């Protein structure tokens, strides 16, 4: 009997109607003869009674302490798990719920963003042997000392893939509220299209650059274990997106060189970026000091462009206050530009193809979108723009590369 993992996100579990759909997805696989491990997120989104954000709003984040915060927010998934298990039992199926701790997910001690060290599958296997549907609460684990930890936002995706790897699963299904990985966020680009198949590296870039649909860590783990992942909609029976290694895509007929002229496969964005310009000369020893101050304060820099007379980079909005605290000890003048948005145009075939940057610049200029900064790699071109231009820019690039067409 093969084992599979199915993960259901917050909106999939938000109400009774959706939970019935969830139950039928689980029962389908169980009846097909699979051993089914279900990973659940907390019910609903911000504002819903047991959603992670709602739980967070019950305490003062600054004084509660990281350990207690993790204890608190781990409750959302436990509630989901029990509610879903109850529904399965009412339909006549035996199921049981394990918390991350009980499921043997062992992590380091970094509360709020813990890394999974290993999984002791003893308890899970015992339950599966008894022919039970097993529900594991996503987003959480525990340290060797039994302290409850959480894995960071989107962490249930990681839980699912980690379990897929530990249990040597045939595949992992991630169920959400859209039809799969799409060419752009359908909330902004109405004619975004579902991508049938995508390789780990492209999806990782998409996830890293803001496409919420799967957590980047989950993609890393899938790539490490060569685990097949399917992204599907809980509310319908669409095929969804299949995620695999590059070799699969090369064999796939749509990707055979010559037939597939597409250089760009998807566009994504990250809001709340802040552009920082510091007037500082290269030969100034303050540069080394500034870099180590930034590192010590764990501020992550992005889109880094250093010139002789100035250093330009972007940071997250949350880090602005900390950076300003650092910079007040320096003589250098600096400028902060808030409300920026990073747009990523992604395609693993753009490498060596001239003209992609030209097309991006022209498409954005034609919409009067100011480009504040750019950067590029073999597979991605990044443009920093004003957040107010996000929808215009995303739609213009989507049209320019004909992403709405299959
Ligand atoms: P879940 O609660 O199921 O984990 P998320 O909200 O984390 O769901 O992720 C699903 C959301 O990701 C979608 O509702 C969609 O708005 C957003 N999204 C952003 N970019 C993309 C993309 N390229 N493809 C699909 N969905 C995307
Ligand atoms: Mg998610």
């Amino acid at each position: 009997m093969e084992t599979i993992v199915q993960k259901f996100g917050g909106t999939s579990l938000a109400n009774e109607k959706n939970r019935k759909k969830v139950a039928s997805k689980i029962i389908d696989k169980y009846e097909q003869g699979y051993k089914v491990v279900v990973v659940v997120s907390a019910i609903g989104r911000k504002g819903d009674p047991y959603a992670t954000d709602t739980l967070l709003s019950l305490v003062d984040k600054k004084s509660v302490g990281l350990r207690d915060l993790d204890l608190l927010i781990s409750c959302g998934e436990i509630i989901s798990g029990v509610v879903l298990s109850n529904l399965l039992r009412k339909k006549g199926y035996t199921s049981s719920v394990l918390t991350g701790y009980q499921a043997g997910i062992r992590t380091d001690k970094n509360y709020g963003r813990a890394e999974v060290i290993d999984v002791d599958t003893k308890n899970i296997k015992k339950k599966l042997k008894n022919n039970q549907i097993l529900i594991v609460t996503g987003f959480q684990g525990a340290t060797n000392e039994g302290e409850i930890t959480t894995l960071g936002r989107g962490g249930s995706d990681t839980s699912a893939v980690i379990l897929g790897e530990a249990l040597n699963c045939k595949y992992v299904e991630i169920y959400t509220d859209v039809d799969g990985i799409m060419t752009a966020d359908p909330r902004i680009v109405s004619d975004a299209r579902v991508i049938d198949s995508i390789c780990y590296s492209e999806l990782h870039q998409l996830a890293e650059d803001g496409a919420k649909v799967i957590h980047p860590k989950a993609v890393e783990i899938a790539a490490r274990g060569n685990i097949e992942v399917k992204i599907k909609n809980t509310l319908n029976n669409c095929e969804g997106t299949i995620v695999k290694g590059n070799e699969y895509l090369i064999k796939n007929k749509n990707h055979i060189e010559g037939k597939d002229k597409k250089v760009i496969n998807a566009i994504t964005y990250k809001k709340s970026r802040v552009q920082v310009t510091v007037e500082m000369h290269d030969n100034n020893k303050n540069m080394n000091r500034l870099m180590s101050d930034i590192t010590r304060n764990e501020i992550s820099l992005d889109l880094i462009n250093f010139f002789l007379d100035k250093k330009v980079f972007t940071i997250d909005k949350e880090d602005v206050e900390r950076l300003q605290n650092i910079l007040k000890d320096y003589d250098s003048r600096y400028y902060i530009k808030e409300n920026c948005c990073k747009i990523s145009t992604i395609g693993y075939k753009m490498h060596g193809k001239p003209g992609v940057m030209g097309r991006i610049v022209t498409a954005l200029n034609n919409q009067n979108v100011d480009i504040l900064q750019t950067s590029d790699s073999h597979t991605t071109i990044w443009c920093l723009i004003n957040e107010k231009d996000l929808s215009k820019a995303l739609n213009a690039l989507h049209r320019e590369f004909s992403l709405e067409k299959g």
Side-chain angles (χ1 to χ4, degrees):
M1 249 187 174
E2 295 202 83
T3 309
I4 59 159
V5 174
Q6 296 183 306
K7 177 253 166 179
F8 295 92
T11 40
S12 304
L13 295 155
N15 53 51
E16 187 73 17
K17 184 172 145 259
N18 290 8
R19 288 196 286 273
K20 282 189 173 150
K21 299 265 185 195
V22 168
S24 77
K25 298 279 180 199
I26 299 168
I27 291 166
D28 270 1
K29 292 294 172 189
Y30 183 79
E31 292 293 353
Q32 282 170 32
Y34 289 105
K35 285 180 186 286
V36 186
V37 176
V38 179
V39 172
V40 289
S41 296
I43 289 176
R45 295 234 166 99
K46 197 171 186 166
D48 290 326
Y50 312 111
T52 306
D53 282 312
T54 313
L55 298 175
L56 280 171
S57 72
L58 295 172
V59 291
D60 168 25
K61 262 187 267 174
K62 286 206 173 110
S63 62
V64 69
L66 293 175
R67 177 185 177 274
D68 283 5
L69 208 55
D70 269 7
L71 263 182
L72 173 70
I73 58 179
S74 68
C75 297
E77 280 69 18
I78 301 176
I79 294 168
S80 283
V82 175
V83 171
L84 182 61
S85 181
N86 185 227
L87 184 59
L88 290 168
R89 278 168 187 247
K90 280 201 290 190
K91 286 179 181 287
Y93 292 84
T94 356
S95 71
S96 59
V97 188
L98 293 179
T99 65
Y101 176 41
Q102 293 168 326
I105 299 177
R106 262 202 299 261
T107 74
D108 63 21
K109 294 176 184 161
N110 275 319
Y111 293 112
R113 52 189 171 96
E115 294 271 347
V116 177
I117 300 164
D118 64 46
V119 184
D120 176 355
T121 55
K122 191 172 66 250
N123 267 350
I124 297 180
K125 286 189 173 150
K126 214 188 304 170
K127 301 278 182 198
L128 289 175
K129 223 182 214 159
N130 295 339
N131 219 13
Q132 297 190 355
I133 295 170
L134 179 66
I135 300 172
V136 178
T137 60
F139 175 62
Q140 57 190 268
T143 64
N144 274 334
E145 292 75 34
E147 295 288 342
I148 306 299
T149 52
T150 64
L151 312 181
R153 281 304 162 101
S156 293
D157 297 333
T158 310
S159 308
V161 182
I162 283 271
L163 289 174
E165 185 185 44
L167 296 166
N168 212 359
C169 285
K170 190 172 181 204
Y171 54 81
V172 173
E173 292 183 329
I174 308 266
Y175 281 95
T176 183
D177 61 349
V178 285
D179 289 352
I181 307 290
M182 307 188 71
T183 48
D185 186 347
R187 285 174 210 236
I188 298 186
V189 179
S190 58
D191 54 2
R193 186 180 49 80
V194 177
I195 301 171
D196 310 335
S197 51
I198 191 165
C199 62
Y200 298 124
S201 54
E202 255 183 350
L203 181 58
H204 185 258
Q205 190 70 61
L206 255 175
E208 193 64 58
D209 283 346
K212 269 195 350 185
V213 62
I214 188 166
H215 194 259
K217 190 88 210 165
V219 187
E220 274 169 42
I221 295 159
R224 170 178 88 190
N226 207 21
I227 301 159
E228 188 177 315
V229 177
K230 299 174 183 186
I231 320 277
K232 295 181 163 201
N233 194 334
T234 307
L235 303 181
N236 62 37
N237 291 319
C238 289
E239 277 298 306
T241 302
I242 184 160
V243 191
K244 280 200 164 194
N246 287 347
E247 67 293 344
Y248 163 80
L249 291 176
I250 289 160
K251 279 185 214 144
N252 184 312
K253 63 177 173 30
N254 294 327
H255 290 267
I256 293 171
E257 202 67 47
K259 273 194 186 166
D260 182 5
K261 298 246 185 301
K262 278 208 153 63
V263 283
I264 300 305
N265 285 335
I267 298 165
T268 189
Y269 63 94
K270 227 178 195 176
K271 292 208 261 189
S272 302
R273 307 304 296 161
V274 175
Q275 188 186 41
V276 183
T277 306
V278 185
E279 285 184 356
M280 194 178 265
H281 284 268
D282 248 354
N283 56 7
N284 190 332
K285 65 175 182 310
N286 277 335
M287 263 303 289
N288 293 352
R289 203 180 113 214
L290 178 61
M291 285 299 114
S292 57
D293 281 348
I294 285 173
T295 311
R296 206 177 33 256
N297 279 276
E298 295 192 352
I299 299 175
S300 168
L301 307 186
D302 190 20
L303 292 179
I304 307 161
N305 292 136
F306 281 10
F307 306 92
L308 265 181
D309 56 340
K310 62 180 178 192
K311 321 297 161 205
V312 186
F313 50 86
T314 64
I315 58 173
D316 193 82
K317 189 177 162 188
E318 286 198 353
D319 296 333
V320 172
E321 212 179 302
R322 264 182 303 148
L323 184 76
Q324 281 176 316
N325 269 335
I326 296 174
L327 286 170
K328 73 177 177 341
D329 290 338
Y330 291 77
D331 290 334
S332 309
R333 263 198 298 200
Y334 66 89
Y335 308 92
I336 303 266
K337 185 168 175 45
E338 292 189 276
N339 301 321
C340 298
C341 178
K342 185 174 86 164
I343 301 225
S344 312
T345 308
I346 299 167
Y348 75 108
K349 285 202 184 158
M350 78 164 71
H351 180 47
K353 297 253 174 28
V356 181
M357 186 61 167
R359 288 173 70 183
I360 291 174
V361 170
T362 309
L364 295 180
N365 277 341
N366 287 345
Q367 296 295 319
N368 297 319
V369 173
D370 287 334
I371 301 172
L372 308 173
Q373 211 179 325
T374 67
S375 186
D376 63 282
S377 75
H378 289 329
T379 57
T380 309
I381 292 177
W382 295 277
C383 294
L384 192 70
I385 62 164
N386 288 304
E387 212 166 285
K388 68 173 174 50
D389 292 333
L390 170 62
S391 172
K392 250 192 328 189
L394 223 54
N395 279 285
L397 293 176
H398 202 265
R399 271 194 309 275
E400 172 60 34
F401 293 102
S402 306
L403 296 186
E404 71 285 1
K405 298 185 191 130

